[in-house]
Amino acid sequence: MKNNSIKTLVRENILQLQPYISFRDHNEFNAPVMLDANESPFGECNRYPDSTQKKLKTKLAGLKKVSPSQIAIGNGSDELIDLIVKIFCEPKKDAILMMNPSFAMYGFYATINENKVLKLDLDENFEIVKSDFLKAAEDPSLKIFFLCSPNNPTGNSVDDIEFYLQNFNGIVVVDEAYIEFSEKKSSLELLEKYSNLIVLQTFSKAWGIAGARVGMAYASEEIISFINTVKAPYNVNVLSQELIIKTLEEENKLQENVSLILEERAWLKQQFEGITCIKKVFSTDANFFLIRMENVDKVYTRMLKEEILTSRRDPAISGCIRINVGSRSENEKLINLLKEI
């Protein structure tokens, strides 16, 4: 980022906003009688969750080698994307920049907030053309650049992320929802070097806990303080927090599951070879493949008829379907049907 301090990028009303502070969560008690929050004294889940998510942040800080004050927890990464747009983008005035194709929710939340969405078209290999980026970045209305790496729905990673951090005069959000499946290093190691960086990660993919709806933002303490100011006070429920904390104590299980998925990914790629309805399998660093099909209508309709659910990307990405890696039995059913087609 060139010259700007973070405060110059934040909306004026957000700078003036006072956060909701739970007295209970910001003080220590030994055996309190809880008569402060109008809760019921009965029930198994009758108390509000910790609004600061202290235990969860402490666990994550140790795992990710960052400070707890550099972590914000969201109700999925979607909530964090929404909050980031609200913090930095003035409605009807500012804009975001995103890769095209990429994760649609960046544009979705910007549009809800009445911000312009500028799209940076990727080349035939789904890579960013740096000269196109530099030209687009000259737009003075731009406040946020969303980088998805590995990218959804293409599967490939973004190279030279520091280039974009150095040459974008605003906030750069690197969405690492699929980073556990990639051999590339996480952008977390760049946090101390770049004050305009936010890294998003999630428990929905490699960790296998999509139903808990928990995402994380890692950034400078200053940016995290703004996210914590704007977020709802009890945005992550008790059950999800407890489940994630328990899961973090079983990190070896994550590695085992990722290894199994990578083995299945390699097996699927080998099986795709020679299947006549497949025209091209794009390289991937994620837990899914983007595949260009011969007669995509026929292939997609047939899979749907057999209740094999995939994500059709045509016409936005001509002739393509996104298929994620399943269990061996699911993958075999997919391969057998594709061979039959």
Side-chain angles (χ1 to χ4, degrees):
M1 184 173 70
K2 307 168 187 174
N3 303 321
N4 280 356
S5 72
I6 296 302
K7 279 190 171 66
T8 65
L9 300 172
V10 177
R11 291 168 56 191
E12 185 64 30
N13 67 313
I14 302 298
L15 290 173
Q16 305 303 322
L17 187 66
Q18 295 299 311
Y20 176 91
I21 295 177
S22 167
F23 178 78
R24 184 189 300 175
D25 294 337
H26 285 78
N27 292 274
E28 296 292 332
F29 303 98
N30 293 320
V33 176
M34 297 184 181
L35 305 178
D36 59 321
N38 300 337
E39 303 151 321
S40 170
F42 310 111
E44 294 182 5
C45 198
N46 61 321
R47 300 299 180 188
Y48 285 112
D50 175 10
S51 64
T52 63
Q53 300 112 11
K54 289 188 287 290
K55 290 183 181 179
L56 177 50
K57 288 178 182 177
T58 299
K59 286 278 188 184
L60 282 170
L63 179 65
K64 301 294 182 177
K65 306 296 186 292
V66 298
S67 166
S69 59
Q70 290 180 283
I71 307 171
I73 309 295
N75 182 11
S77 294
D78 285 46
E79 182 191 24
L80 295 167
I81 293 166
D82 184 29
L83 294 177
I84 291 165
V85 171
K86 287 176 178 175
I87 291 165
F88 295 104
C89 290
E90 191 71 45
K92 299 182 180 180
K93 177 184 175 183
D94 294 329
I96 71 158
L97 181 65
M98 61 178 287
M99 302 150 62
N100 184 41
S102 193
F103 186 44
M105 301 311 289
Y106 311 136
F108 178 84
Y109 287 115
T111 301
I112 287 176
N113 199 48
E114 297 190 273
N115 298 118
K116 291 187 296 182
V117 179
L118 305 183
K119 295 187 177 182
L120 191 62
D121 291 335
L122 304 180
D123 66 15
E124 65 275 8
N125 297 314
F126 301 121
E127 295 177 351
I128 299 173
V129 179
K130 286 184 175 178
S131 58
D132 291 349
F133 161 75
L134 291 173
K135 184 176 180 180
E138 293 175 357
D139 190 322
S141 70
L142 283 174
K143 298 293 284 293
I144 306 171
F145 182 27
F146 284 98
L147 282 170
C148 191
S149 183
N151 187 31
N152 175 18
T154 62
N156 60 312
S157 298
V158 177
D159 292 325
D160 197 8
I161 284 175
E162 283 197 77
F163 173 83
Y164 304 104
L165 287 161
Q166 293 165 355
N167 290 282
F168 188 73
N169 211 18
I171 300 297
V172 177
V173 179
V174 181
D175 189 345
E176 294 186 340
Y178 303 94
I179 192 66
E180 290 89 352
F181 304 109
S182 173
E183 294 181 356
K184 299 289 177 73
K185 290 184 178 180
S186 169
S187 291
L188 287 176
E189 64 180 23
L190 301 175
L191 282 177
E192 298 306 314
K193 190 174 180 181
Y194 296 98
S195 63
N196 61 326
L197 171 63
I198 302 175
V199 179
L200 298 180
Q201 294 186 356
T202 183
F203 283 96
S204 294
K205 308 301 179 183
W207 289 92
I209 322 177
R213 305 307 301 127
V214 178
M216 302 81 75
Y218 301 92
S220 67
E221 292 186 12
E222 184 177 25
I223 288 178
I224 295 301
S225 71
F226 287 119
I227 295 176
N228 288 333
T229 294
V230 174
K231 79 172 184 68
Y234 305 111
N235 60 323
V236 181
N237 68 74
V238 170
L239 300 178
S240 289
Q241 289 192 49
E242 289 177 351
L243 176 60
I244 298 301
I245 290 169
K246 180 181 177 182
T247 302
L248 285 171
E249 294 171 354
E250 304 170 351
E251 189 186 355
N252 60 320
K253 188 175 180 181
L254 167 71
Q255 303 306 325
E256 290 173 11
N257 289 342
V258 168
S259 295
L260 287 172
I261 289 170
L262 293 179
E263 287 175 14
E264 286 300 305
R265 189 177 76 180
W267 182 84
L268 272 174
K269 186 176 181 181
Q270 186 178 45
Q271 296 300 310
F272 289 146
E273 296 175 5
I275 295 179
T276 55
C277 65
I278 293 178
K279 294 172 67 176
K280 182 173 182 178
V281 179
F282 291 91
S283 62
T284 183
D285 289 331
N287 66 331
F288 59 83
F289 290 94
L290 184 69
I291 303 175
R292 181 158 285 135
M293 299 289 188
E294 187 77 48
N295 197 342
V296 68
D297 288 325
K298 176 184 175 182
V299 176
Y300 180 76
T301 302
R302 182 67 187 282
M303 286 194 295
L304 198 56
K305 184 179 179 181
E306 298 297 327
E307 297 191 348
I308 296 177
L309 308 184
T310 59
S311 179
R312 182 168 179 175
R313 313 312 296 184
D314 181 87
I317 310 177
S318 178
C320 285
I321 296 175
R322 190 193 67 199
I323 302 176
N324 72 266
V325 179
S327 65
R328 177 55 64 94
S329 62
E330 292 171 328
N331 296 335
E332 286 177 341
K333 186 174 180 181
L334 167 71
I335 293 299
N336 290 335
L337 180 60
L338 290 176
K339 287 179 177 179
E340 185 180 319
I341 295 173

